[in-house]
């Protein structure tokens, strides 16, 4: 069991009272007011602390169902180098909000000997099994990867906000299977086009997810068994990262379909952890909508994004900062002359 703290209810109440007293009609700032009260509860103070230190951790790994993707598996390893060079989508977007990006190779199918040791420090394995015909992980690997994710969160514990990113060709099929197994849904409702497969590709992808669900029927009630059967090492690491962030009381902005699926599993492992997470944006993948509904989370942004990497969540950071600013800087009706 994990000792997940409860966001400070007194701070939330105080924030709501202050919001009602600001120089505006009641509730006029809508969702910003909800987010402001959430941040105040997370920080235990009104106004919340400045959100200066925002960190993205991209969990990278290959998936056995990568043949279903519109892109070859080798792209994952190539993208790790792009992250390190600061040239990826999330690098560029994170720079706009002053966020730092770290990439962690949890299960990339490459040697990786020429990258900094910190990138591969928590590596569990090379790739994962093809979930339509075999388990993704060996016994014990899901737990090991979960602990690796917890360790990474501890290494980033000075952050004001944490964002889990992802990189791995084939990951949307795995996410669909994991969400379906978590919520008892059929493959046809959760599978999307991912990186942009055509109609025939979507049919093959749906069939593979359906086969994975049939193969693992009756085995997925336990979250670690679910990760072993249908997940991946980087998915398990992301779940550990989310749980440890909640234990530490660090606010988290979830990204897209990958972190949504990880959050479902993390919530099963550590009930109450979801109180520390916000959904940064709405993915085009259908399984994310099911995951967020189950978690009781409403996306902040809806830009039609499907890049992953944490790229959607970083664009929600200015909204969090704006929510904090209204508590910190707006005047009170009571002070009007």
């Amino acid at each position: 069991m994990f000792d997940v703290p409860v966001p400070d209810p007194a701070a939330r109440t105080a924030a709501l009272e202050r919001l009602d007293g600001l120089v505006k009609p009641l509730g006029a700032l809508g969702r910003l007011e909800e987010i402001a009260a959430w941040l105040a509860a997370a920080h235990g103070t009104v106004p919340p602390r400045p959100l200066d230190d925002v960190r993205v951790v991209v969990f990278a790994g290959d998936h056995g169902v990568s043949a279903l993707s519109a892109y070859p598996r080798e792209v994952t390893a190539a993208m790790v180098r792009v992250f390190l060079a600061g040239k990826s989508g999330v690098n560029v977007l994170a720079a706009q909000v002053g966020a730092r990006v770290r990439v962690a190779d949890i299960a990339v199918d490459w040697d990786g000997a020429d990258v900094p040791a910190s990138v591969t420090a928590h590596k569990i394995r090379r790739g994962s099994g093809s979930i339509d015909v075999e388990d993704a992980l060996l016994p014990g690997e899901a737990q090991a990867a979960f602990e690796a994710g917890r360790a990474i969160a501890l290494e980033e514990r000075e952050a004001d906000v944490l964002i889990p990113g992802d990189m791995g060709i084939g990951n949307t099929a795995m996410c669909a299977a994991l969400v379906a197994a978590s919520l008892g849904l059929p493959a046809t409702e959760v599978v999307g086009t991912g990186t942009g497969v055509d109609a025939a590709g979507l049919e093959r992808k749906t069939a593979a997810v359906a086969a994975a669900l049939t193969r693992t029927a009756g085995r997925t009630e336990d979250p670690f068994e679910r990760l072993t059967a249908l997940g991946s090492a980087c998915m398990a690491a992301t779940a550990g990262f989310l749980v440890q962030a909640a234990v530490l009381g660090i606010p988290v902005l979830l990204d897209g379909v990958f972190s949504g699926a990880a959050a479902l599993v993390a919530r099963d492992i550590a009930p109450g952890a979801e109180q520390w997470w916000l959904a940064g944006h709405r993915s085009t993948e259908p399984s994310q909508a099911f995951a967020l509904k189950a978690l009781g989370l409403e996306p902040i942004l809806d830009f039609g994004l499907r890049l992953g990497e944490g790229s959607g969540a970083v664009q929600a950071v200015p909204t969090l900062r704006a929510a904090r600013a209204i508590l910190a800087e707006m005047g009170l009706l009571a002070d009007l002359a």
Side-chain angles (χ1 to χ4, degrees):
M1 294 293 291
F2 290 91
D3 186 13
V4 178
V6 176
D8 189 340
R12 176 179 174 80
T13 298
L16 291 171
E17 290 175 352
R18 181 171 179 83
L19 288 163
D20 285 348
L22 296 178
V23 285
K24 61 172 182 58
L26 288 175
L29 287 173
R31 186 80 191 279
L32 280 179
E33 298 189 27
E34 297 174 18
I35 295 171
W38 182 87
L39 277 172
H43 285 178
T45 184
V46 180
R49 298 187 301 276
L51 305 177
D52 296 328
D53 190 347
V54 179
R55 305 186 190 186
V56 182
V57 178
V58 180
F59 292 87
D62 283 301
H63 309 288
V65 289
S66 59
L68 301 169
S69 175
Y71 292 87
R73 186 170 184 159
E74 291 75 19
V75 169
T76 305
M79 281 302 302
V80 172
R81 301 186 192 282
V82 176
F83 291 125
L84 293 173
K87 298 295 185 179
S88 74
V90 72
N91 288 123
V92 171
L93 293 169
Q96 305 310 303
V97 299
R100 289 186 279 173
V101 178
R102 169 184 178 180
V103 59
D105 170 8
I106 305 297
V108 180
D109 189 10
W110 69 330
D111 179 77
D114 60 330
V115 299
S118 59
V119 174
T120 56
H122 297 285
K123 193 177 183 85
I124 301 298
R125 57 178 287 161
R126 292 180 59 159
S128 62
S130 189
I131 58 173
D132 53 336
V133 295
E134 62 183 332
D135 281 357
L137 303 173
L138 297 174
E141 286 182 334
Q143 183 72 54
F146 181 85
E147 294 301 326
R150 290 184 64 201
I152 290 171
L154 284 166
E155 291 165 5
E156 305 296 338
R157 66 186 303 159
E158 299 303 318
D160 296 315
V161 176
L162 287 172
I163 295 173
D166 63 278
M167 181 62 224
I169 299 303
N171 65 13
T172 61
M174 178 270 296
C175 290
L178 202 59
V179 170
S182 297
L183 300 177
L185 298 168
T188 51
E189 292 193 26
V190 294
V191 175
T193 56
T195 49
V197 296
D198 58 17
L202 181 61
E203 186 175 343
R204 289 192 298 272
K205 186 175 177 182
T206 303
V209 171
L213 295 173
T214 298
R215 182 185 65 79
T216 59
R219 289 184 51 204
T220 57
E221 183 173 350
D222 177 81
F224 285 102
E225 183 65 14
R226 197 182 318 151
L227 288 166
T228 298
L230 294 171
S232 67
C234 46
M235 176 63 75
T238 304
F241 181 80
L242 293 175
V243 168
Q244 190 61 46
V247 170
L248 295 170
I250 303 173
V252 170
L253 271 175
L254 301 177
D255 189 45
V257 61
F258 191 95
S259 56
L264 269 185
V265 180
R267 192 265 308 267
D268 287 348
I269 294 170
E274 69 275 8
Q275 297 174 87
W276 293 93
W277 312 330
L278 289 180
H281 81 108
R282 188 183 306 280
S283 168
T284 60
E285 284 293 296
S287 64
Q288 191 223 23
F290 286 107
L292 295 186
K293 182 178 180 180
L295 291 164
L297 299 177
E298 181 68 25
I300 295 171
L301 304 176
D302 186 354
F303 290 166
L305 301 178
R306 54 185 176 89
L307 176 61
E309 304 178 4
S311 59
V314 295
Q315 292 177 84
V317 171
T319 302
L320 265 66
R321 288 175 173 158
R324 179 198 173 272
I326 63 174
L327 275 174
E329 300 175 24
M330 279 186 71
L332 294 169
L333 286 167
D335 294 335
L336 291 178

